[in-house]
Amino acid sequence: MKEPELIYLDNNATTPCDPRVVDAMWPYFYEKPGNAASRSHPYGWVAEEAVQQSREQIARLVSADPREIVFTSGATESDNLAIKGVFEMYRRKGKHIITLKTEHKAVLDACAKIEKLGGEITYLDVDQEGLVKLELLDEAIRPDTILVAIMWANNETGVIQPMQEIGAICDKHGCLLMSDATQAVGKIPVNPKATGVHLMAFSAHKMYGPKGVGALYVSRRQPRVKITPQIDGGGHEQGMRSGTLNVPGIVGFGKAAEIAFSDMQSDAARLAALRDQLESALLKRIEDASINGSRKHRLPHVCNIAFKYAEAESVMMTFNQKVALSSGSACTSASVEPSHVITAMGRTSDEAHSSMRFSLGRFTTKEEIEYTIEAIVKGVSQIRDRSPVWEMYKEGLL
Ligand SMILES: *Cc1c(COP(=O)(O)O)cnc(C)c1O
């Protein structure tokens, strides 16, 4: 097999910008430099028109009204704006927020800040497959619950939550539902209105658009949701998020949405086939390998596998990081922590450290998957050959 340069299987961390997206953005750096808020000359009008077109492209992808799209700097900001914005706006109604233990740090850290500000947060457990326990959610909602924040699809495992059922429960209790849909938008059909989701965060760079631009969907009808802005100054984006719009970034985001709208189905089908090829080969050829998270309710291009007693970071070193992957370990400033997502599903810290996330993307090829299979099979076996723990386990001593 031909040696590839570098293989990128970390598309859940960020995706390459689609060349069609880059082409669309290009004119807005120099030829069309206007500020979309400049009302007095054609430069401004041209920029505003481009922003409006993007807003429509993005709205179409998520079946929303263009006026329900608020541009931000990315999903981290959108998550913060939704959670903190609702907390401030609905403070008189209550101070209780419910979320999941497996949420992205942008949601968890925003919730931790709310706790410091006097709010109360319930962090719900998930089941062994990473799915929300619907009865737990139903029981956790109180009269003073102002928001439920549950992600659409998990970034580490690809597990898709039963958003329709979650929406119905929130509706029954009359509380707002926010979803971090960063990994879902552009990959699977997402329709917040039809699902009962009132606020939804997503980001361009996870769907083949540029980094540094994102959106928050804010429902305008049934109900009309209000949030307190977290950035003041000028009243852009209907007063919800001030600041000069990133016009080239927004144009790229719009183009990425347009491409996703037309290519989502075919991309998903192709990637699911490649993912399944990768997954079945690894499970067949490597003993004691198991999937983290639901196989049934999962994004088509993601799989997360634990290889017992083979530390992921060490396995990745055997192929010199030639295949770019994420492990179930997260480096904090002080230490290497096991992934909170994997441990929340009942896995041990060791199992988290021996987990690898494969996230395929639009530009992944069959050859790359074939190379990756060989690299992982060889790597895991090399690490286990040197491992006394694996040996003891094989001898039945563990
Ligand atoms: C990447 C990601 C984010 C952060 O998005 P940015 O645009 O990089 O700020 C938030 N939530 C999820 C689920 C993500 O995957």
Side-chain angles (χ1 to χ4, degrees), residues 12-13 73-77 79 104-107 151 153-155 180-183 202-206 212-214:
N12 282 16
S73 65
T76 301
E77 187 190 333
D79 285 335
H104 190 271
K105 288 289 179 192
V107 166
M151 69 201 319
N154 188 274
N155 45 301
D180 179 341
T182 311
Q183 295 291 346
F202 53 113
S203 186
H205 79 97
K206 301 288 177 82
V213 54

Side-chain angles (χ1 to χ4, degrees), residues 122-283:
T122 298
Y123 298 92
L124 292 178
D125 282 319
V126 293
D127 69 12
Q128 294 206 323
E129 304 222 295
L131 293 162
V132 64
K133 298 175 179 170
L134 293 168
E135 14 15 284
L136 274 193
L137 170 63
D138 192 36
E139 286 161 16
I141 301 179
R142 322 188 304 213
D144 67 337
T145 303
I146 48 174
L147 183 69
V148 171
I150 293 182
M151 69 201 319
W152 209 293
N154 188 274
N155 45 301
E156 293 191 30
T157 57
V159 167
I160 301 170
Q161 297 296 345
M163 293 311 299
Q164 199 77 45
E165 286 83 350
I166 295 165
I169 292 171
C170 291
D171 187 51
K172 185 179 86 180
H173 292 277
C175 78
L176 292 176
L177 173 59
M178 177 261 168
S179 185
D180 179 341
T182 311
Q183 295 291 346
V185 171
K187 316 291 172 56
I188 56 171
V190 165
N191 181 339
K193 182 77 64 203
T195 314
V197 168
H198 309 111
L199 296 133
M200 186 177 82
F202 53 113
S203 186
H205 79 97
K206 301 288 177 82
M207 47 181 276
Y208 311 100
K211 292 164 187 59
V213 54
L216 181 67
Y217 160 87
V218 184
S219 169
R220 275 178 72 91
R221 278 184 304 114
Q222 298 173 333
R224 183 183 183 97
V225 175
K226 289 208 208 153
I227 48 175
T228 305
Q230 301 299 304
I231 298 178
D232 300 297
H236 308 71
E237 298 300 272
Q238 304 165 70
M240 286 184 265
R241 201 279 194 177
S242 289
T244 300
L245 291 177
N246 170 1
V247 177
I250 288 169
V251 167
F253 193 5
K255 185 68 186 178
E258 182 196 85
I259 297 169
F261 188 78
S262 65
D263 294 3
M264 184 188 315
Q265 268 194 324
S266 54
D267 273 357
R270 190 182 73 87
L271 293 180
L274 286 181
R275 188 272 312 268
D276 291 346
Q277 178 189 354
L278 172 74
E279 185 168 278
S280 56
L282 294 180
L283 293 180

Side-chain angles (χ1 to χ4, degrees), residues 332-378:
T332 62
S333 50
S335 61
V336 184
E337 297 287 331
S339 147
H340 70 284
V341 173
I342 296 180
T343 52
M345 299 189 297
R347 297 275 197 166
T348 63
S349 159
D350 275 354
E351 286 169 325
H353 287 305
S354 70
S355 295
M356 281 189 220
R357 175 185 74 186
F358 304 84
S359 49
L360 286 59
R362 184 176 288 157
F363 307 106
T364 304
T365 64
K366 195 170 172 61
E367 291 69 37
E368 289 176 330
I369 292 300
E370 281 161 5
Y371 182 90
T372 300
I373 294 169
E374 299 309 320
I376 300 287
V377 168
K378 201 165 132 216

